[in-house]
Amino acid sequence: MSIDREGPVPPYRQIAAILRGRIADGTIPPGRRIPSLVELESEFSVARDTLRKAVQVLKDEGLVETVTGMGIYVIDSQRERSPEA
């Protein structure tokens, strides 16, 4: 998938929207790791800083979390809303 580098939406926001869509449609299901920055760098042909910004947007939205040493995972919303709470 390509990014519109000339458009009004910054590339990191476009990438965040693409990843958000993949999460929403189940392509990347809850509990699953999103592609690594290296994989995303290859897919979108952008700098890692751009990808870090995109991932931060998803973190700020509560969609993903970093698991140290393992990667970035889609948050399982069911886990967050435990019936025991």
Side-chain angles (χ1 to χ4, degrees):
M1 182 160 273
S2 63
I3 301 301
D4 180 5
R5 297 172 195 280
E6 303 300 320
V9 179
Y12 78 94
R13 292 243 177 236
Q14 294 176 54
I15 294 167
I18 291 166
L19 294 174
R20 187 183 307 110
R22 291 177 185 173
I23 292 167
D25 72 12
T27 302
I28 309 174
R32 182 69 52 94
R33 183 180 67 84
I34 68 169
S36 70
L37 294 181
V38 172
E39 293 167 318
L40 292 172
E41 185 177 27
S42 175
E43 178 179 354
F44 294 111
S45 299
V46 296
R48 285 195 195 169
D49 283 344
T50 301
L51 296 170
R52 285 186 187 102
K53 284 182 178 180
V55 168
Q56 188 60 53
V57 169
L58 299 177
K59 285 181 183 179
D60 291 345
E61 293 174 358
L63 295 174
V64 299
E65 64 184 347
T66 300
V67 178
T68 305
M70 297 189 66
I72 303 162
Y73 288 79
V74 176
I75 292 175
D76 184 347
S77 61
Q78 298 301 315
R79 185 190 74 195
E80 297 299 315
R81 294 184 208 144
S82 172
E84 299 169 7

